[in-house]
Amino acid sequence: MNKIILELSREHEALPKAELAAVLEVEGGRVTCEFSNIAIVESENHNFVNRLAFTKSAALFVAKSGDISDIGKEVSKHINGTFAVRTRLKKSETIEKELGAEIAKYGHKVNLKNPDTKVVCFKNEGKYVAGIDIHLPHDFEARRPKFRPFFHPTSMHPKLARCLVNLARVKKGDTVLDPFCGTGGILIEAGLMGMKPIGIEINKECAQGCRRNMEHYGLTGEIICKDALEAKITADAVVTDLPYGRSSFMSSTGLQRDFLLAAHRFVREGGYIVVVLPKGKNIKPKKTEIVNHYDVRVHKSLTRRVWVFRKVSQS
């Protein structure tokens, strides 16, 4: 059983923990300790960390002690090649030097610019918690909408898009449907995690642009150009950012209501529906239960609400 130290993002109060809980529910594992924005997880493997959007860093747990020399001794056993120490603590520079000096006693050389092994260190209740960094292959900034072949200014940031897919509790190979896929941001993140993306888009130009964007990342998926309410598709999960305001090609209020009332048709029993709505729009899809909701501030005058529903049996 592996122990993994996760440093959760402070970008949002609730989403990082909610995303982690949803991913562990699917991939297996449990949180054994939490302090500040740190979670320590026990899991059979650490591959699940590659899915997480609102997690800043991950490390394989090595040691916990109030004595920094004990930490240095244990960590030294896991160093391959050169090393560097990184902390998020007060007086971090001093602690990095102290721990680095302890590790160096065992013959390991420091390389601050390009280390072979990165050591991370946190502190909880007077004790240091240290581990070996796990590289997270995230490139969210490089995948921002403006860098895609087809761009629309209302496209969602890939970090939030990935989080929404994770909240749907899907695993590799599951089908993820976005009935209002636009330029494909949600589908791209689902595809990169190994799910099978299905998109519906009523606007022909956007549907074609969505295909181009997915191809840009080496992804394939089914993109259907039609009215979502007329589609007859069932997926393992539905994840969508419902059109609103001026970006919508039709009356957004009526569309939101009509889709939510029919959303249960698009997902299997037990599957999740994750929907982004303007705050204040509270419409629960038929045959579902509310799992949770989270408010996401877009800018000063706009807060949107992420709703998570689960389709339940009516028997």
Side-chain angles (χ1 to χ4, degrees), residues 7-296:
E7 181 188 9
L8 304 182
S9 168
R10 296 183 187 272
E11 294 170 72
H12 191 278
E13 185 178 354
L15 277 178
K17 288 184 179 180
E19 180 191 30
L20 173 60
V23 169
L24 291 178
E25 191 176 318
V26 176
E27 300 287 349
R30 65 188 184 95
V31 176
T32 60
C33 177
E34 289 183 78
F35 56 94
S36 183
N37 65 321
I38 306 300
I40 298 178
V41 172
E42 283 189 353
S43 178
E44 289 292 338
N45 64 68
H46 62 262
N47 293 333
F48 74 89
V49 302
N50 296 326
R51 290 185 56 163
L52 298 170
F54 285 105
T55 294
K56 290 182 67 175
S57 69
L60 286 173
F61 175 91
V62 173
K64 181 178 181 179
S65 174
D67 189 335
I68 204 161
S69 62
D70 290 341
I71 293 288
K73 181 180 179 180
E74 291 304 313
V75 168
S76 69
K77 299 173 185 177
H78 299 266
I79 302 293
N80 291 312
T82 59
F83 77 96
V85 179
R86 297 287 182 264
T87 75
R88 297 281 198 279
L89 303 170
K90 292 180 180 178
K91 301 181 180 179
S92 61
E93 188 174 334
T94 300
I95 294 167
E96 286 173 2
K97 286 182 178 179
E98 289 179 3
L99 181 53
E102 291 295 331
I103 296 170
K105 288 179 181 178
Y106 298 90
H108 302 293
K109 293 185 178 181
V110 175
N111 183 338
L112 298 179
K113 290 186 177 180
N114 189 28
D116 297 308
T117 304
K118 188 187 294 184
V119 179
V120 297
C121 185
F122 304 96
K123 199 170 187 179
N124 177 38
E125 297 178 347
K127 293 188 176 182
Y128 298 100
V129 179
I132 303 300
D133 180 71
I134 302 169
H135 173 67
L136 298 179
H138 296 161
D139 207 3
F140 294 119
E141 291 306 307
R143 289 203 302 277
R144 287 172 61 188
K146 67 180 182 180
F147 298 124
R148 298 172 191 158
F150 183 78
F151 170 71
H152 192 280
T154 62
S155 299
M156 181 181 289
H157 193 286
K159 187 180 287 188
L160 179 57
R162 174 166 292 218
C163 178
L164 298 183
V165 176
N166 282 330
L167 290 175
R169 293 156 171 82
V170 281
K171 60 183 182 297
K172 189 176 290 187
D174 282 352
T175 50
V176 175
L177 170 65
D178 183 350
F180 305 94
C181 65
T183 62
I186 289 171
L187 299 182
I188 289 168
E189 295 306 313
L192 290 173
M193 288 191 285
M195 291 89 192
K196 297 177 181 177
I198 305 172
I200 304 173
E201 175 53 53
I202 196 170
N203 180 272
K204 185 177 180 180
E205 183 184 8
C206 277
Q208 292 173 341
C210 178
R211 292 190 188 98
R212 286 173 57 201
N213 286 344
M214 291 185 67
E215 289 169 0
H216 179 71
Y217 294 103
L219 301 171
T220 58
E222 185 179 2
I223 309 300
I224 303 162
C225 185
K226 70 183 303 179
D227 184 339
L229 294 175
E230 296 177 358
K232 291 179 172 57
I233 295 175
T234 302
D236 292 303
V238 170
V239 183
T240 193
D241 181 10
L242 279 170
Y244 68 100
R246 294 180 181 178
S247 64
S248 175
F249 291 102
M250 59 191 73
S251 169
S252 57
T253 301
L255 176 63
Q256 292 160 6
R257 182 191 63 248
D258 292 346
F259 170 73
L260 286 170
L261 291 175
H264 65 280
R265 295 195 289 106
F266 297 97
V267 68
R268 62 170 173 79
E269 190 173 296
Y272 287 78
I273 301 169
V274 180
V275 183
V276 184
L277 285 168
K279 188 177 180 181
K281 297 285 184 180
N282 303 332
I283 307 170
K284 187 174 83 69
K286 294 178 180 178
K287 302 181 181 180
T288 67
E289 62 181 6
I290 298 172
V291 177
N292 217 324
H293 63 77
Y294 312 93
D295 289 343
V296 178

